[in-house]
Amino acid sequence: MTSPANSAAVPPGTSAASAFNLAAIGTGLAFAESLGELSSVLRAGGAAGTAVVQAPPGTGKTTLVPPLLANLTRHAREARRVVVTQPRRVAARAAARRLAALDGSRIGDRVGYTVRGERQAGPATLVEFVTPGILLRRLLDDPGLESTGAVILDEVHERGLETDLLLGMLTEVRQLRGDLTLVAMSATLDAPRFAALIGGAAGNAGTADDGGGPAPVVDCPSALYPLDVEWVPAALPRLDDRGVTRGFLDHVADTAAQAHTAAGALDAGTDALVFVPGAWEVSYVAARLRGRTSPGTEVLELHGQVSPTEQDQAVSGRRPGGPARIIVSTDLAESSLTVPGVRLVIDSGLTREPRRDASRGMSGLVTVSCSRASAEQRAGRAARQGPGRVVRCYDQRTYGAAPAHVTPEIAVADLTGAALVLACWGSPGGAGLALPDAPPAAAMGEAVEVLRELGAVARDGHATALGRTLARVPADPRLARALLDGAAAVGHHAAAEAVALVAGDQRAPGADLTRLLTALRTGKEPAARRWAEDVRRLETIARKEGAAVGPSVIAALASDVPVTAAEAVGVVVALAFPDRVARRVPGDGPSRYLLSSGTRAGLQAGSPLAGQEWLAVAEVSRAAGRDAAGTGAVIRSAAPLSADTAEAAAGHLLTDTVEAQFSQGRVKARRERRLGAISLSSTPVRPSAEDGRAAVARALAKEGLGTIGWSTAADALRRRLALLRRELGEPWPDVSEPSLLARLDSWLGTELEALAGGASTNSIDLTDPLRRLLPWPEAVRLAELAPEALKVPSGSMVRIDYPDVSDYAGSGSAAPDQAGPGQAGADDAGRPVVAVKLQECFGWAETPRLVDGRVPVLFHLLSPARRPLAVTDDLASFWSGPYAQVRSEMRGRYPRHPWPEDPWTAQPTARTKARM
């Protein structure tokens, strides 16, 4: 007998025998209580309903919603498939197997899955679990998804890049197809955001949400049992400049061992789930746990690099009568997987997130604190099947400082692959697409530029025929192009091996991709089987699509000098990432490499690649510590190649130029052959006149006329002309630096040609060039208006120090101790200065004035030791007043010099009393 709830999910005209038995499948699952509400809102939407399901992990939404939609969208005459996305391969396989088991059917029949390199689905499949990348490629091949009746986007809260793209693209599909049901499922409290995105996408279907209102949200209350939270922070820091510290990982492992032993003493059925950020940390903690847990305890690893069999074993739960289990996992088990039997969670509070370093052309994963939402989901894993406990290996302050939600991948990741998908979809750069977050303009612009270089997009941003071909390759567009180009040089099979190697999840030992390739070929690596399947698929694509690209330089080189097997990986990597071709930097100490992009990076200590002159780098990331060798970056995976193949693979970066520089007073030139930022050769050559002029112009623009240097005479003339310009204006020339630089040809042309031809600045005096700027006939009064020297009463000719060219301050008074002898100080207010011994000016009453009486001379009256005694532009006032005080202070100090009581009648002199 069919239950009422199950009957409600079977539309008229559908055989109840062919429908999923939701009552049986939903036994014991919290979301079973929400099935009726979801069924109602989807039916209210007509043929194309939309909804957002908001339910915590472990409530059964992934198990129950797909068969519900299969029942709702299944018609007597036509059966259309329900496609469910899962963000990870292991989650897609596990969800499909669980639903098939509850349905009592064989995997691949009514319920199936498709992930990269593995497919268990057939014509009769009603519910198919796939990864987002699989569905993206199906959309590009079949934009209408004609054989699909409903799409469920699960775990949208994780904000994966491909899932965000699917949200926007499926919204457009529903505008064209009025019978496509779209459901988004989230484990966190951000469902309204996704409801607004997909709610108005029904187009002309005549449904209730035509007006663009949000899709209905179906909530499911938490199924959590009581949960104890314990904070056990480590005494050591979690992270240092090299990543996660070993001391902290030891703390996590030891805490997990102690907590599991204590929990097992109370309940032998308790399994533990330990969260750490990455595959290496999983292996490290698991190895330490195996030496610290009770005998018979099974320690399992769960991450993307272990085999599918090991992944399935970890998520399938404890076997009847089996040993206690501790599963050490990355965030795989955070929300998209439920691991049965877990009542204890140990959380490191760390996760890996993609980051893009635009300034250095690097992208990769970095270790950061997980969001508070992630921490809550991890903790909730312990209380799905009974009272649980979470032990957080950090303190409450760290928890409070963590971001509320995960950072959207679209905001921080390399967008080259996404840009190609959007270009193929007809929305270059995401234009017009309803995405949860718009892609950053700078990152998208860089991605589109990469695609243009690959020939994948046209000027208008839409995909070319080659771009559509590259989009069919399940790899980064750069690797896809390298697959097709590299096949001509190294063969289809070798190119496919290299691309599968780089596109996979495996970590290269010692950063050496060739060593990893050898290990995968033996079949001993956990990922060997999947890698071999990827190789077969890529080789097929290479043979089929190879005609899409024309002949390449690397293929021509291979015809003359065959590429060796040892170089095959390096050639393909260099074709994919020519900006990461690297050459060893000479020197002792740790290995350092210069990439063609200009980035410097270190190589892991003890790497088999140490000493290789040339590397093709597949992955480089920001780092500190010993491996970075002071560069701020470290090479994570690379392969060796020769200089010839490096130049051929990155041939478009080759330049052969003559670089002239103005250095040490003359033009010097070298012929430089470069591969991007890497210097291949540098030879001294004689510069051409054009190169010389350009070098001089660059030096002058950067360093000004000081590059040539101002002689004493030239500087004095310039200062005199600047004063005349300031006081009289035209026609006296503007001799400020910007003005002189702006009209070099009119006054310095001859000397510039001499410098460009190799002359030294020592042979050039700017005095005569400046005279070319003198206006005629006014120039004949230069000595009268602004003389070089002033004759004082003693008969001496004293040089006038004119103000600096940049000093245009107004007149003002100056304190005696503010300026040194013989120079215009900051308080001289841009006035000409005469620094002269006081005794040489006895009897001088009227202060001289320059520039037809406009500018009074400022006197620095000096002691016999040429130290300033007074500064004045009113000699008469000085003799009548301040002089008496100066005399009383100085005549005892300088008794050999005259200090008359009456300076008006005293003889002006530069001599001592004895020589007068």
Side-chain angles (χ1 to χ4, degrees), residues 278-325:
W280 180 86
E281 291 84 0
V282 167
S283 299
Y284 183 92
V285 170
R288 187 173 178 88
L289 275 170
R290 291 185 183 106
R292 282 165 172 74
T293 53
S294 304
T297 301
E298 189 175 18
V299 179
L300 301 172
E301 300 181 24
L302 180 57
H303 54 80
Q305 297 182 27
V306 299
S307 68
T309 301
E310 292 173 288
Q311 291 176 346
D312 295 340
Q313 180 186 0
V315 302
S316 60
R318 189 191 298 192
R319 300 181 301 276
R325 307 191 325 154

Side-chain angles (χ1 to χ4, degrees), residues 714-727 735-736 785-788 799-811 822-834 850-851 855-858 860:
D715 181 59
L717 176 59
R718 185 186 179 205
R719 288 171 180 251
R720 293 164 67 198
L721 292 175
L723 179 68
L724 294 177
R725 172 74 179 190
R726 187 185 76 186
E727 298 297 327
V735 291
S736 65
L785 296 171
E788 293 184 56
R799 179 171 58 89
I800 302 174
D801 288 321
Y802 286 87
D804 186 79
V805 174
S806 62
D807 190 350
Y808 287 93
S811 61
Q823 63 180 13
D827 289 331
D828 291 336
R831 296 159 66 182
V833 172
V834 169
L850 309 180
V851 195
V855 183
V857 173
L858 187 66
H860 286 201

Side-chain angles (χ1 to χ4, degrees), residues 366-384:
V366 298
T367 304
V368 296
S369 291
C370 70
S371 67
R372 296 196 299 275
S374 294
E376 291 305 311
Q377 291 178 64
R378 294 178 180 187
R381 286 302 182 189
R384 297 299 175 209

Side-chain angles (χ1 to χ4, degrees), residues 28-418:
L29 297 177
F31 195 78
E33 301 297 326
S34 302
L35 280 180
E37 180 186 356
L38 179 58
S39 177
S40 297
V41 300
L42 290 175
R43 284 179 171 175
T50 61
V52 174
V53 173
Q54 179 175 282
T59 51
K61 63 182 183 297
T62 303
T63 300
L64 285 170
V65 175
L68 170 67
L69 263 66
N71 288 353
L72 290 174
T73 58
R74 182 175 174 84
H75 302 281
R77 292 176 300 172
E78 181 183 11
R80 281 183 171 174
R81 183 171 297 181
V82 175
V83 177
V84 190
T85 64
Q86 288 293 321
R88 300 168 183 85
R89 294 189 294 265
V90 60
R93 286 196 306 269
R97 286 173 177 157
R98 175 170 171 77
L99 179 55
L102 293 173
D103 181 51
S105 60
R106 189 173 59 182
I107 189 71
D109 290 344
R110 286 158 56 86
V111 181
Y113 66 87
T114 302
V115 298
R116 192 181 76 188
E118 188 178 1
R119 177 174 171 82
Q120 291 284 343
T125 299
L126 301 176
V127 175
E128 182 186 16
F129 291 85
V130 302
T131 51
I134 296 292
L135 184 54
L136 275 177
R137 288 182 177 81
R138 286 187 187 175
L139 268 172
L140 296 182
D141 289 338
D142 177 19
L145 290 180
E146 298 299 335
S147 62
T148 302
V151 174
I152 301 171
L153 300 177
D154 203 358
E155 313 297 351
V156 292
H157 63 277
E158 292 193 7
R159 301 305 312 277
L161 176 56
E162 291 178 327
T163 299
D164 277 6
L165 295 180
L166 285 172
L167 273 167
M169 294 163 69
L170 288 169
T171 297
E172 287 195 349
V173 173
R174 292 190 65 251
Q175 293 173 357
L176 302 175
R177 268 194 58 189
D179 60 344
L180 178 67
T181 299
L182 177 60
V183 175
M185 300 203 294
S186 172
T188 59
L189 300 177
D190 53 359
R193 174 183 193 146
F194 300 107
L197 277 172
I198 68 174
N204 300 319
T207 63
D209 57 357
D210 279 352
V217 175
V218 177
D219 202 354
C220 176
S222 173
L224 283 179
Y225 286 87
L227 178 68
D228 290 334
V229 179
E230 184 177 354
W231 306 89
V232 185
L236 298 170
R238 294 191 298 173
L239 299 170
D240 62 12
D241 55 9
R242 300 182 67 184
V244 186
T245 63
R246 292 176 184 262
F248 176 69
L249 292 178
D250 291 342
H251 172 73
V252 172
D254 295 346
T255 301
Q258 294 167 10
H260 186 253
T261 299
L266 299 175
D267 182 356
T270 298
D271 287 344
L273 181 58
V274 182
F275 285 102
V276 291
W280 180 86
E281 291 84 0
V282 167
S283 299
Y284 183 92
V285 170
R288 187 173 178 88
L289 275 170
R290 291 185 183 106
R292 282 165 172 74
T293 53
S294 304
T297 301
E298 189 175 18
V299 179
L300 301 172
E301 300 181 24
L302 180 57
H303 54 80
Q305 297 182 27
V306 299
S307 68
T309 301
E310 292 173 288
Q311 291 176 346
D312 295 340
Q313 180 186 0
V315 302
S316 60
R318 189 191 298 192
R319 300 181 301 276
R325 307 191 325 154
I326 300 177
I327 299 99
V328 187
S329 176
T330 61
D331 58 5
L332 269 178
E334 185 176 295
S335 62
S336 55
L337 284 174
T338 294
V339 183
V342 170
R343 302 280 287 279
L344 172 66
V345 166
I346 312 297
D347 185 13
S348 69
L350 298 173
T351 189
R352 293 270 204 273
E353 288 187 359
R355 287 292 186 273
R356 171 179 159 274
D357 185 344
S359 63
R360 304 187 71 178
M362 297 185 297
S363 60
L365 298 175
V366 298
T367 304
V368 296
S369 291
C370 70
S371 67
R372 296 196 299 275
S374 294
E376 291 305 311
Q377 291 178 64
R378 294 178 180 187
R381 286 302 182 189
R384 297 299 175 209
Q385 297 170 312
R389 176 183 172 211
V390 58
V391 180
R392 288 175 170 151
C393 297
Y394 50 100
D395 56 29
Q396 289 169 287
R397 171 186 277 183
T398 302
Y399 172 83
H405 297 284
V406 67
T407 304
E409 189 177 357
I410 197 171
V412 292
D414 182 290
L415 297 181
T416 307

Side-chain angles (χ1 to χ4, degrees), residues 476-522:
D476 180 283
R478 290 162 289 203
L479 285 171
R481 179 64 195 258
L483 172 70
L484 304 183
D485 283 338
V490 303
H492 296 92
H493 184 73
E497 282 189 324
V499 170
L501 187 72
V502 177
D505 299 325
Q506 304 79 33
R507 178 67 69 184
D512 188 356
L513 285 171
T514 55
R515 178 169 290 192
L516 175 60
L517 176 61
T518 301
L520 289 170
R521 282 172 172 169
T522 64

Side-chain angles (χ1 to χ4, degrees), residues 421-508:
V421 169
L422 292 170
C424 292
W425 187 249
S427 300
L433 211 58
L435 297 171
D437 285 286
M444 182 57 72
E446 291 173 12
V448 171
E449 185 57 34
V450 169
L451 295 178
R452 286 199 183 100
E453 293 175 0
L454 295 175
V457 296
R459 287 182 176 273
D460 61 1
H462 288 80
T464 61
L466 174 59
R468 295 186 178 279
T469 297
L470 299 182
R472 289 193 288 271
V473 180
D476 180 283
R478 290 162 289 203
L479 285 171
R481 179 64 195 258
L483 172 70
L484 304 183
D485 283 338
V490 303
H492 296 92
H493 184 73
E497 282 189 324
V499 170
L501 187 72
V502 177
D505 299 325
Q506 304 79 33
R507 178 67 69 184

